Amino acid sequence: LHTIFQMAAYDPSNTHANVLTDEAQELKGTDARLTTILGAVAVSDLVKSTLGPKGMDKIIMSQTQASGVTVTNDGATIMKQLLVDNPAGKILVDISKSQDDEIGDGTTSVCVLAGQLLQQAEQLLSAHIHPQTIVAGWRMALNEAKKTLEQSAIDYSNNEEQFRQALFKIAKTTLSSKIVRNAHDHFANLAVDAVMRIRKQGDLELIQILKKAGGSMSDSFLEEGFILDKKIGVGQPRRIEKAKIMVANTPMDTDKIKIYGAKVKTDSIAKVAEIEKAEINKMMKKCEKIAGHGINCFINRQLIYNKPEQYFAQKGIMAIEHADFDGIERLAMALGAEIVSTFDAPGMVRLGECEVIEEVLIGEDRMIRFSGCKAPEACTIVMRGSSQHILAEAERSLHDALCVLLTACKDPRIVYGGGSTEIAMAEAVDALAKRTAGKKAMAIEAFARALRSIPKIIAENGGYDSADLVSQLRAAHSEGMPNPGLDMREGAIGDMAELGITEAFRSKMQVLVSASEAAEMIVRCDEVIRAAPRAREDPHPH
Amino acid sequence: TAACARIFIMPPAAAAAPKATAAKNELRDDGKAKRSDVRQSNIAAAKAVADAIRTSLGPRGMDKMVQKADGEVLITNDGATIMEYMNINHPAAKMLVDLSKSQDIEAGDGTTSVVVLAGALLQACQSLLNRGIHPMKISESFQLALDKAEEVLTGMSIPVDIGDRDSLIQAASTSLNSKIVSHNAPLLAPLAVDAVRMVGDVERSMVDLRDVRVTKKLGGTVDDTELIEGLVFSQKIQKLAGGPSRVENAKIAVLQFQLSPPKSDMESSVVVSDYQQMDRILKEEKAYIAGICKQIAKTGANVILLQKSILRDAITDLGLHFLSKLKIMLVKDVERDDIDFICRTLRCVPIAQPDALHASKLGTAKLVQEFPTPEGKIVKITGVPQPCKTVSILCRGSNKLMIDENERSIHDALCVVRSLYQRKFLIPGGGAPEMEVNYKLTEWSKTLGGMEAFCVRAFAEALEVIPATLAENAGLHPIQLVTELRNRHATGNKYDGLNIKKGCISNIHDLGVIQPLQVNLSALGLATELCRMILKIDDIVFTA
């Protein structure tokens, strides 16, 4: 399939100008097109089977790390890990990533739609339709599709109760394709509750997700405030009300003098004892300074050794050592504190505050809960599940759901899922094709076919007769049935409004626009130039 | 064994080869064929693991000898432990290992059954797939079957009162009976029950097993394992001649500083230029240590628990000498991680520096005494302040293999009792619940239509693996017994199961072979979950 145009040594009979360096490659014409289109289609085929509520999962296995096994259904996770050598394949991986960053969901859809468009393009190209004609037709089709999508969008933002319901349905639809399916009502509620708290702030960092193996998925819960998986020092208070908290990152063994080879010489044990004493005193002074801030809880990123621990215990200060970095950052944000490492100016330090700090039992573990934080939005979702694989996948799906909900909060319009909008768009685009004269009409029709293939793939993944279902869906649409879509539970056509299968408008729009942009970009390429790999120095010269 | 060998030696390369190359060549191939290959290879791998540990199920299960990578040998029949040391490479087989771990977290017992169940369910999947049923359909029907099975299990369970010590002991014995230490069950079961009852919180249904400290000491036999209301240390008392080895009405100080010459954090050296100075230094050292010892004695402490230090000696001979003179007993090398437990048991506060010594920080105990064992001495602290919410178990065994197995068995028994706190129901063992679910599901499947009925029946049949394997491992006739068992259940004897000891079928509940419902529920739930997960996987993607 691939002819590689490799520049040989200078050959006067060669009519090509010798413009490329050795080892650089150039692919032209049909070869270039085959490489790009087939490459992209291969990537899209790989994730195709994960689409929809009955999509399959993949095992992602790392070849270097023995323990690195991930089981996932999340398009972005699969694509991120994929080793893709093909330039067009990389474009697909990129649009999937940007969909993940911008919306958080629809990462598989965008890739699959682009792949389907390219598959259609391949046929058009072999029928000798010029790429520019295809692009022109697609642009018209895209505009028509966008118009249809906007018309079908529903806005619930002026009714709080309905809006919450709408969010719940969106969360449920997103989660339905993931492993948490068995408990998706529960998880959808968790996600909606969490997002409703932070919708003004719009910062997902305020939602902490804590994974604890054991229990079942439905034991997962949302906890107001922040939970830290650490222990309180020995002999210190286990519960504090109206806490004033200092979050610090400082060594609590000794502040060593950082001069290389510094050494003390003495002539007696007593003097060594004095130095030891001085060192301890120095540390105690530091502790006093810390306590001098008027705090009753001290959280350190580093270890707190015995002596400071004892000091804090005497002062009735709760001291928590070795909080991990991520924990510290979030905690500082939730408590409204800053991370401190010098203690000379008590007035300048912003301390954290919260109503109650207490030990709680989660599963079999004792953890520390901070409730009534300064940032009232802060909350923690504690996820329970039987194994690490399931927890990790559940976290990914929950994260997707949170992202989509946040998007939906910003743009409260919703559309119906289950292939309903795709069919509506496809029909509108088909109608446009009929009105359009010239070869462009073929490209427009191809666009409609690509849109229709989305419900087809969803049905196929569920083990249903896809050709039959999609034709039924088309018929239902033209007969004027309200919001017809695929009911994947029954394997039949149903009313999406009744089934509550809804998606965020912005997510759908983004999928449509970036998939067609990517496909267009790939179709317009007529040549692939591959730079020579960077010369590596031979590590073992002979 | 051929299938087994494939997993261990030829990692996933075989399964993965078609996909890995396909992705790189960017060739489109026929997706369907490849996907069913991946699924079949996953199922085969998982089943091979299940077959490997199948023989260790039940009271007559065999043990496995595991030679670890470092050459050390381990003998066990604990499913989770065997799998932990299997060098498994295949991703699907690895999931089975995790399955066993999850069961350990969930119920603490049944780690072998869960894997055997998963193997049987996967076998059922395989034949259903071969009949051309879509994996999604199988997966959904299995979930339906699971929901129904949970209903049946809950329906046949027997509520238990946490105050009923005998029932708890029976449950713990069932777990212990399948271990190497089975003949010690009459000793270990009550021990585990008492330990959990001591630390458990009945009202909140919570048991924190970290409040039970298991200390291992080589020597003696499993029979010497004992429960101690207080503390036990596997290290001996540090003393010079004349020091006490038994202290009554002890006042105990938990020290986190060292009784040795001072050492600064900065590198320091004492420079000696003549003989007199040397003399003086010796005197100073003596005075320094004597000073600390006197300070300790002033608080009235007569027992010291000294935290281990990695930076310097926790105590020198000189310190020991003074302490012996002051009749203070010393236990050194106490781990920092144990300090919290010790302090909660003795109701004391750790002391991090000599200045902070104070009588109010001491803990009390009626008796601290050293006991000799064949492998060195141990220290027991008993008569700690009541009510005591912590407890220690001194775990004994005649060799390292035995003692490790003993510890694992005690852990399992503790977990079994703990799971009864969380879900206060018992269910008979001996394959009775599985057969009951089998019967009820088969009956129920007759009311279903189409593929669902077919899959539910296959699910029900797969459960027969438990009684069949129990019988097989005990050298009984599996087919004959399982058939008879099925008849018994059809006539309404829902508690009938395999009586392994007598080799016949009897009412298992009357025999007292009972286990927590949690064990069965979680085993069935987890095994089904794993099956559904493997069915859903249609591809293996390789990354760097």
Side-chain angles (χ1 to χ4, degrees), chain B residues 52-65 75-79 82 112 177-180 405 469-470 472-475:
Chain B
I53 67 162
R54 210 173 95 103
T55 54
S56 52
L57 183 79
R60 295 284 161 91
M62 292 299 185
D63 303 337
K64 307 266 173 204
M65 185 179 265
I75 296 179
T76 180
N77 71 0
D78 182 40
I82 300 171
T112 313
N177 271 334
S178 61
K179 312 276 186 228
I180 298 176
E405 180 67 14
T469 310
L470 286 176
E472 210 177 308
N473 290 346

PDB file of all heavy atoms in Angstrom, chain B residues 52-65 75-79 82 112 177-180 405 469-470 472-475:
ATOM      1  N   ALA B  52      -6.467 -23.437  38.809  1.00  0.00           N
ATOM      2  CA  ALA B  52      -5.253 -23.666  39.592  1.00  0.00           C
ATOM      3  C   ALA B  52      -5.549 -23.688  41.085  1.00  0.00           C
ATOM      4  O   ALA B  52      -4.927 -24.436  41.837  1.00  0.00           O
ATOM      5  CB  ALA B  52      -4.214 -22.601  39.265  1.00  0.00           C
ATOM      6  N   ILE B  53      -6.478 -22.859  41.555  1.00  0.00           N
ATOM      7  CA  ILE B  53      -6.685 -22.837  43.009  1.00  0.00           C
ATOM      8  C   ILE B  53      -7.968 -23.558  43.419  1.00  0.00           C
ATOM      9  O   ILE B  53      -8.336 -23.570  44.586  1.00  0.00           O
ATOM     10  CB  ILE B  53      -6.673 -21.410  43.579  1.00  0.00           C
ATOM     11  CG1 ILE B  53      -7.871 -20.620  43.098  1.00  0.00           C
ATOM     12  CG2 ILE B  53      -5.397 -20.689  43.247  1.00  0.00           C
ATOM     13  CD1 ILE B  53      -8.072 -19.417  43.988  1.00  0.00           C
ATOM     14  N   ARG B  54      -8.623 -24.166  42.465  1.00  0.00           N
ATOM     15  CA  ARG B  54      -9.869 -24.872  42.738  1.00  0.00           C
ATOM     16  C   ARG B  54      -9.704 -25.958  43.790  1.00  0.00           C
ATOM     17  O   ARG B  54     -10.573 -26.182  44.630  1.00  0.00           O
ATOM     18  CB  ARG B  54     -10.324 -25.513  41.430  1.00  0.00           C
ATOM     19  CG  ARG B  54     -11.802 -25.657  41.265  1.00  0.00           C
ATOM     20  CD  ARG B  54     -12.047 -26.146  39.863  1.00  0.00           C
ATOM     21  NE  ARG B  54     -12.162 -27.584  39.876  1.00  0.00           N
ATOM     22  CZ  ARG B  54     -13.319 -28.235  39.784  1.00  0.00           C
ATOM     23  NH1 ARG B  54     -14.426 -27.567  39.633  1.00  0.00           N
ATOM     24  NH2 ARG B  54     -13.373 -29.546  39.814  1.00  0.00           N
ATOM     25  N   THR B  55      -8.560 -26.634  43.748  1.00  0.00           N
ATOM     26  CA  THR B  55      -8.375 -27.781  44.633  1.00  0.00           C
ATOM     27  C   THR B  55      -8.215 -27.389  46.095  1.00  0.00           C
ATOM     28  O   THR B  55      -8.212 -28.252  46.958  1.00  0.00           O
ATOM     29  CB  THR B  55      -7.133 -28.585  44.219  1.00  0.00           C
ATOM     30  OG1 THR B  55      -6.040 -27.692  44.166  1.00  0.00           O
ATOM     31  CG2 THR B  55      -7.330 -29.247  42.890  1.00  0.00           C
ATOM     32  N   SER B  56      -8.046 -26.093  46.384  1.00  0.00           N
ATOM     33  CA  SER B  56      -7.875 -25.749  47.800  1.00  0.00           C
ATOM     34  C   SER B  56      -9.175 -25.270  48.429  1.00  0.00           C
ATOM     35  O   SER B  56      -9.169 -24.749  49.535  1.00  0.00           O
ATOM     36  CB  SER B  56      -6.750 -24.738  47.983  1.00  0.00           C
ATOM     37  OG  SER B  56      -6.927 -23.652  47.156  1.00  0.00           O
ATOM     38  N   LEU B  57     -10.299 -25.479  47.766  1.00  0.00           N
ATOM     39  CA  LEU B  57     -11.584 -25.056  48.328  1.00  0.00           C
ATOM     40  C   LEU B  57     -12.074 -26.052  49.382  1.00  0.00           C
ATOM     41  O   LEU B  57     -11.969 -27.250  49.206  1.00  0.00           O
ATOM     42  CB  LEU B  57     -12.622 -24.941  47.201  1.00  0.00           C
ATOM     43  CG  LEU B  57     -13.997 -24.443  47.612  1.00  0.00           C
ATOM     44  CD1 LEU B  57     -13.992 -22.941  47.785  1.00  0.00           C
ATOM     45  CD2 LEU B  57     -15.044 -24.828  46.588  1.00  0.00           C
ATOM     46  N   GLY B  58     -12.609 -25.516  50.455  1.00  0.00           N
ATOM     47  CA  GLY B  58     -13.320 -26.354  51.416  1.00  0.00           C
ATOM     48  C   GLY B  58     -12.453 -26.964  52.487  1.00  0.00           C
ATOM     49  O   GLY B  58     -11.237 -26.855  52.467  1.00  0.00           O
ATOM     50  N   PRO B  59     -13.122 -27.632  53.445  1.00  0.00           N
ATOM     51  CA  PRO B  59     -12.404 -28.191  54.598  1.00  0.00           C
ATOM     52  C   PRO B  59     -11.429 -29.293  54.200  1.00  0.00           C
ATOM     53  O   PRO B  59     -10.468 -29.553  54.900  1.00  0.00           O
ATOM     54  CB  PRO B  59     -13.521 -28.762  55.481  1.00  0.00           C
ATOM     55  CG  PRO B  59     -14.719 -28.852  54.619  1.00  0.00           C
ATOM     56  CD  PRO B  59     -14.570 -27.827  53.549  1.00  0.00           C
ATOM     57  N   ARG B  60     -11.679 -29.948  53.072  1.00  0.00           N
ATOM     58  CA  ARG B  60     -10.740 -30.990  52.644  1.00  0.00           C
ATOM     59  C   ARG B  60      -9.904 -30.499  51.471  1.00  0.00           C
ATOM     60  O   ARG B  60      -9.424 -31.290  50.678  1.00  0.00           O
ATOM     61  CB  ARG B  60     -11.512 -32.252  52.242  1.00  0.00           C
ATOM     62  CG  ARG B  60     -12.246 -32.919  53.370  1.00  0.00           C
ATOM     63  CD  ARG B  60     -11.291 -33.692  54.269  1.00  0.00           C
ATOM     64  NE  ARG B  60     -11.878 -33.967  55.556  1.00  0.00           N
ATOM     65  CZ  ARG B  60     -12.576 -35.062  55.854  1.00  0.00           C
ATOM     66  NH1 ARG B  60     -12.764 -35.966  54.949  1.00  0.00           N
ATOM     67  NH2 ARG B  60     -13.073 -35.230  57.049  1.00  0.00           N
ATOM     68  N   GLY B  61      -9.807 -29.197  51.348  1.00  0.00           N
ATOM     69  CA  GLY B  61      -9.030 -28.639  50.244  1.00  0.00           C
ATOM     70  C   GLY B  61      -7.550 -28.881  50.467  1.00  0.00           C
ATOM     71  O   GLY B  61      -7.080 -29.043  51.588  1.00  0.00           O
ATOM     72  N   MET B  62      -6.814 -28.926  49.377  1.00  0.00           N
ATOM     73  CA  MET B  62      -5.374 -29.150  49.469  1.00  0.00           C
ATOM     74  C   MET B  62      -4.652 -27.834  49.695  1.00  0.00           C
ATOM     75  O   MET B  62      -5.160 -26.776  49.374  1.00  0.00           O
ATOM     76  CB  MET B  62      -4.883 -29.775  48.163  1.00  0.00           C
ATOM     77  CG  MET B  62      -5.397 -31.171  47.960  1.00  0.00           C
ATOM     78  SD  MET B  62      -4.801 -32.192  49.287  1.00  0.00           S
ATOM     79  CE  MET B  62      -5.380 -33.778  48.790  1.00  0.00           C
ATOM     80  N   ASP B  63      -3.428 -27.957  50.188  1.00  0.00           N
ATOM     81  CA  ASP B  63      -2.610 -26.762  50.366  1.00  0.00           C
ATOM     82  C   ASP B  63      -1.688 -26.609  49.173  1.00  0.00           C
ATOM     83  O   ASP B  63      -1.423 -27.543  48.440  1.00  0.00           O
ATOM     84  CB  ASP B  63      -1.756 -26.889  51.629  1.00  0.00           C
ATOM     85  CG  ASP B  63      -2.615 -27.120  52.834  1.00  0.00           C
ATOM     86  OD1 ASP B  63      -3.795 -26.753  52.768  1.00  0.00           O
ATOM     87  OD2 ASP B  63      -2.111 -27.682  53.825  1.00  0.00           O
ATOM     88  N   LYS B  64      -1.172 -25.404  49.010  1.00  0.00           N
ATOM     89  CA  LYS B  64      -0.212 -25.165  47.944  1.00  0.00           C
ATOM     90  C   LYS B  64       1.106 -24.749  48.583  1.00  0.00           C
ATOM     91  O   LYS B  64       1.115 -24.016  49.570  1.00  0.00           O
ATOM     92  CB  LYS B  64      -0.674 -24.023  47.039  1.00  0.00           C
ATOM     93  CG  LYS B  64      -2.063 -24.182  46.504  1.00  0.00           C
ATOM     94  CD  LYS B  64      -2.056 -24.829  45.158  1.00  0.00           C
ATOM     95  CE  LYS B  64      -3.478 -25.129  44.750  1.00  0.00           C
ATOM     96  NZ  LYS B  64      -3.613 -26.181  43.809  1.00  0.00           N
ATOM     97  N   MET B  65       2.165 -25.228  47.981  1.00  0.00           N
ATOM     98  CA  MET B  65       3.470 -24.763  48.433  1.00  0.00           C
ATOM     99  C   MET B  65       3.935 -23.712  47.435  1.00  0.00           C
ATOM    100  O   MET B  65       3.965 -23.973  46.237  1.00  0.00           O
ATOM    101  CB  MET B  65       4.456 -25.930  48.471  1.00  0.00           C
ATOM    102  CG  MET B  65       5.787 -25.532  49.051  1.00  0.00           C
ATOM    103  SD  MET B  65       6.889 -26.942  49.107  1.00  0.00           S
ATOM    104  CE  MET B  65       6.638 -27.511  50.762  1.00  0.00           C
ATOM    105  N   ILE B  75       3.498 -22.205  52.747  1.00  0.00           N
ATOM    106  CA  ILE B  75       2.459 -23.216  52.522  1.00  0.00           C
ATOM    107  C   ILE B  75       1.137 -22.644  52.976  1.00  0.00           C
ATOM    108  O   ILE B  75       1.019 -22.167  54.103  1.00  0.00           O
ATOM    109  CB  ILE B  75       2.759 -24.513  53.282  1.00  0.00           C
ATOM    110  CG1 ILE B  75       4.041 -25.131  52.731  1.00  0.00           C
ATOM    111  CG2 ILE B  75       1.607 -25.490  53.141  1.00  0.00           C
ATOM    112  CD1 ILE B  75       4.450 -26.398  53.415  1.00  0.00           C
ATOM    113  N   THR B  76       0.158 -22.665  52.116  1.00  0.00           N
ATOM    114  CA  THR B  76      -1.119 -22.059  52.476  1.00  0.00           C
ATOM    115  C   THR B  76      -2.224 -22.655  51.629  1.00  0.00           C
ATOM    116  O   THR B  76      -1.975 -23.231  50.582  1.00  0.00           O
ATOM    117  CB  THR B  76      -1.073 -20.537  52.267  1.00  0.00           C
ATOM    118  OG1 THR B  76      -2.338 -20.006  52.634  1.00  0.00           O
ATOM    119  CG2 THR B  76      -0.782 -20.167  50.838  1.00  0.00           C
ATOM    120  N   ASN B  77      -3.472 -22.512  52.100  1.00  0.00           N
ATOM    121  CA  ASN B  77      -4.573 -22.795  51.188  1.00  0.00           C
ATOM    122  C   ASN B  77      -5.505 -21.607  51.140  1.00  0.00           C
ATOM    123  O   ASN B  77      -6.654 -21.722  50.792  1.00  0.00           O
ATOM    124  CB  ASN B  77      -5.270 -24.111  51.530  1.00  0.00           C
ATOM    125  CG  ASN B  77      -6.066 -24.025  52.799  1.00  0.00           C
ATOM    126  OD1 ASN B  77      -6.118 -22.980  53.452  1.00  0.00           O
ATOM    127  ND2 ASN B  77      -6.706 -25.111  53.158  1.00  0.00           N
ATOM    128  N   ASP B  78      -4.979 -20.453  51.464  1.00  0.00           N
ATOM    129  CA  ASP B  78      -5.743 -19.218  51.406  1.00  0.00           C
ATOM    130  C   ASP B  78      -5.674 -18.688  49.972  1.00  0.00           C
ATOM    131  O   ASP B  78      -4.602 -18.369  49.471  1.00  0.00           O
ATOM    132  CB  ASP B  78      -5.118 -18.224  52.390  1.00  0.00           C
ATOM    133  CG  ASP B  78      -5.892 -16.928  52.431  1.00  0.00           C
ATOM    134  OD1 ASP B  78      -7.124 -16.998  52.389  1.00  0.00           O
ATOM    135  OD2 ASP B  78      -5.260 -15.871  52.471  1.00  0.00           O
ATOM    136  N   GLY B  79      -6.823 -18.625  49.328  1.00  0.00           N
ATOM    137  CA  GLY B  79      -6.867 -18.242  47.919  1.00  0.00           C
ATOM    138  C   GLY B  79      -6.154 -16.937  47.641  1.00  0.00           C
ATOM    139  O   GLY B  79      -5.333 -16.838  46.720  1.00  0.00           O
ATOM    140  N   ILE B  82      -2.332 -17.356  47.817  1.00  0.00           N
ATOM    141  CA  ILE B  82      -1.751 -18.110  46.698  1.00  0.00           C
ATOM    142  C   ILE B  82      -1.647 -17.208  45.481  1.00  0.00           C
ATOM    143  O   ILE B  82      -0.604 -17.114  44.825  1.00  0.00           O
ATOM    144  CB  ILE B  82      -2.625 -19.334  46.340  1.00  0.00           C
ATOM    145  CG1 ILE B  82      -2.745 -20.279  47.535  1.00  0.00           C
ATOM    146  CG2 ILE B  82      -2.045 -20.076  45.146  1.00  0.00           C
ATOM    147  CD1 ILE B  82      -3.749 -21.376  47.340  1.00  0.00           C
ATOM    148  N   THR B 112     -11.232 -18.090  48.147  1.00  0.00           N
ATOM    149  CA  THR B 112     -11.112 -19.153  47.154  1.00  0.00           C
ATOM    150  C   THR B 112     -12.442 -19.349  46.437  1.00  0.00           C
ATOM    151  O   THR B 112     -12.487 -19.430  45.211  1.00  0.00           O
ATOM    152  CB  THR B 112     -10.681 -20.469  47.816  1.00  0.00           C
ATOM    153  OG1 THR B 112      -9.597 -20.197  48.695  1.00  0.00           O
ATOM    154  CG2 THR B 112     -10.244 -21.478  46.792  1.00  0.00           C
ATOM    155  N   ASN B 177     -12.210 -24.038  59.694  1.00  0.00           N
ATOM    156  CA  ASN B 177     -12.182 -25.465  59.371  1.00  0.00           C
ATOM    157  C   ASN B 177     -11.550 -25.771  58.027  1.00  0.00           C
ATOM    158  O   ASN B 177     -11.131 -26.883  57.773  1.00  0.00           O
ATOM    159  CB  ASN B 177     -13.596 -26.043  59.419  1.00  0.00           C
ATOM    160  CG  ASN B 177     -13.905 -26.522  60.810  1.00  0.00           C
ATOM    161  OD1 ASN B 177     -12.993 -26.869  61.564  1.00  0.00           O
ATOM    162  ND2 ASN B 177     -15.163 -26.507  61.176  1.00  0.00           N
ATOM    163  N   SER B 178     -11.527 -24.784  57.145  1.00  0.00           N
ATOM    164  CA  SER B 178     -10.939 -25.063  55.841  1.00  0.00           C
ATOM    165  C   SER B 178      -9.461 -24.692  55.813  1.00  0.00           C
ATOM    166  O   SER B 178      -8.834 -24.723  54.778  1.00  0.00           O
ATOM    167  CB  SER B 178     -11.696 -24.294  54.766  1.00  0.00           C
ATOM    168  OG  SER B 178     -11.602 -22.930  55.013  1.00  0.00           O
ATOM    169  N   LYS B 179      -8.906 -24.340  56.960  1.00  0.00           N
ATOM    170  CA  LYS B 179      -7.502 -23.928  56.987  1.00  0.00           C
ATOM    171  C   LYS B 179      -6.629 -25.069  57.505  1.00  0.00           C
ATOM    172  O   LYS B 179      -7.121 -26.054  58.021  1.00  0.00           O
ATOM    173  CB  LYS B 179      -7.315 -22.725  57.929  1.00  0.00           C
ATOM    174  CG  LYS B 179      -8.307 -21.633  57.726  1.00  0.00           C
ATOM    175  CD  LYS B 179      -7.888 -20.714  56.609  1.00  0.00           C
ATOM    176  CE  LYS B 179      -8.840 -19.556  56.533  1.00  0.00           C
ATOM    177  NZ  LYS B 179      -9.332 -19.246  55.239  1.00  0.00           N
ATOM    178  N   ILE B 180      -5.333 -24.838  57.400  1.00  0.00           N
ATOM    179  CA  ILE B 180      -4.395 -25.825  57.919  1.00  0.00           C
ATOM    180  C   ILE B 180      -4.576 -25.978  59.426  1.00  0.00           C
ATOM    181  O   ILE B 180      -4.418 -27.051  59.988  1.00  0.00           O
ATOM    182  CB  ILE B 180      -2.944 -25.400  57.588  1.00  0.00           C
ATOM    183  CG1 ILE B 180      -2.776 -25.358  56.078  1.00  0.00           C
ATOM    184  CG2 ILE B 180      -1.938 -26.341  58.225  1.00  0.00           C
ATOM    185  CD1 ILE B 180      -1.444 -24.878  55.601  1.00  0.00           C
ATOM    186  N   GLU B 405       0.704 -18.989  58.649  1.00  0.00           N
ATOM    187  CA  GLU B 405      -0.610 -19.514  58.300  1.00  0.00           C
ATOM    188  C   GLU B 405      -1.591 -19.267  59.455  1.00  0.00           C
ATOM    189  O   GLU B 405      -2.742 -18.917  59.238  1.00  0.00           O
ATOM    190  CB  GLU B 405      -0.502 -21.006  57.976  1.00  0.00           C
ATOM    191  CG  GLU B 405      -1.789 -21.685  57.606  1.00  0.00           C
ATOM    192  CD  GLU B 405      -2.379 -21.223  56.279  1.00  0.00           C
ATOM    193  OE1 GLU B 405      -1.655 -20.562  55.517  1.00  0.00           O
ATOM    194  OE2 GLU B 405      -3.561 -21.500  56.027  1.00  0.00           O
ATOM    195  N   THR B 469     -17.150 -29.116  43.725  1.00  0.00           N
ATOM    196  CA  THR B 469     -15.729 -29.029  44.068  1.00  0.00           C
ATOM    197  C   THR B 469     -15.477 -29.488  45.493  1.00  0.00           C
ATOM    198  O   THR B 469     -14.490 -30.158  45.782  1.00  0.00           O
ATOM    199  CB  THR B 469     -15.228 -27.587  43.884  1.00  0.00           C
ATOM    200  OG1 THR B 469     -15.630 -27.139  42.615  1.00  0.00           O
ATOM    201  CG2 THR B 469     -13.729 -27.493  44.013  1.00  0.00           C
ATOM    202  N   LEU B 470     -16.401 -29.109  46.402  1.00  0.00           N
ATOM    203  CA  LEU B 470     -16.258 -29.553  47.796  1.00  0.00           C
ATOM    204  C   LEU B 470     -16.188 -31.072  47.842  1.00  0.00           C
ATOM    205  O   LEU B 470     -15.344 -31.655  48.526  1.00  0.00           O
ATOM    206  CB  LEU B 470     -17.435 -29.068  48.634  1.00  0.00           C
ATOM    207  CG  LEU B 470     -17.473 -27.581  49.004  1.00  0.00           C
ATOM    208  CD1 LEU B 470     -18.767 -27.263  49.743  1.00  0.00           C
ATOM    209  CD2 LEU B 470     -16.276 -27.231  49.865  1.00  0.00           C
ATOM    210  N   GLU B 472     -15.500 -33.143  45.365  1.00  0.00           N
ATOM    211  CA  GLU B 472     -14.338 -33.640  44.640  1.00  0.00           C
ATOM    212  C   GLU B 472     -13.088 -33.571  45.522  1.00  0.00           C
ATOM    213  O   GLU B 472     -12.325 -34.529  45.609  1.00  0.00           O
ATOM    214  CB  GLU B 472     -14.150 -32.755  43.411  1.00  0.00           C
ATOM    215  CG  GLU B 472     -13.538 -33.431  42.230  1.00  0.00           C
ATOM    216  CD  GLU B 472     -13.478 -32.457  41.059  1.00  0.00           C
ATOM    217  OE1 GLU B 472     -14.519 -31.869  40.729  1.00  0.00           O
ATOM    218  OE2 GLU B 472     -12.380 -32.277  40.513  1.00  0.00           O
ATOM    219  N   ASN B 473     -12.907 -32.439  46.188  1.00  0.00           N
ATOM    220  CA  ASN B 473     -11.725 -32.272  47.026  1.00  0.00           C
ATOM    221  C   ASN B 473     -11.716 -33.225  48.204  1.00  0.00           C
ATOM    222  O   ASN B 473     -10.667 -33.569  48.733  1.00  0.00           O
ATOM    223  CB  ASN B 473     -11.623 -30.839  47.543  1.00  0.00           C
ATOM    224  CG  ASN B 473     -11.271 -29.858  46.435  1.00  0.00           C
ATOM    225  OD1 ASN B 473     -10.867 -30.278  45.358  1.00  0.00           O
ATOM    226  ND2 ASN B 473     -11.418 -28.597  46.701  1.00  0.00           N
ATOM    227  N   ALA B 474     -12.914 -33.635  48.641  1.00  0.00           N
ATOM    228  CA  ALA B 474     -12.975 -34.548  49.772  1.00  0.00           C
ATOM    229  C   ALA B 474     -12.901 -35.994  49.310  1.00  0.00           C
ATOM    230  O   ALA B 474     -13.024 -36.914  50.115  1.00  0.00           O
ATOM    231  CB  ALA B 474     -14.258 -34.311  50.553  1.00  0.00           C
ATOM    232  N   GLY B 475     -12.746 -36.201  48.008  1.00  0.00           N
ATOM    233  CA  GLY B 475     -12.633 -37.560  47.487  1.00  0.00           C
ATOM    234  C   GLY B 475     -13.972 -38.253  47.386  1.00  0.00           C
ATOM    235  O   GLY B 475     -14.056 -39.472  47.351  1.00  0.00           O
TER     236      GLY B 475
END
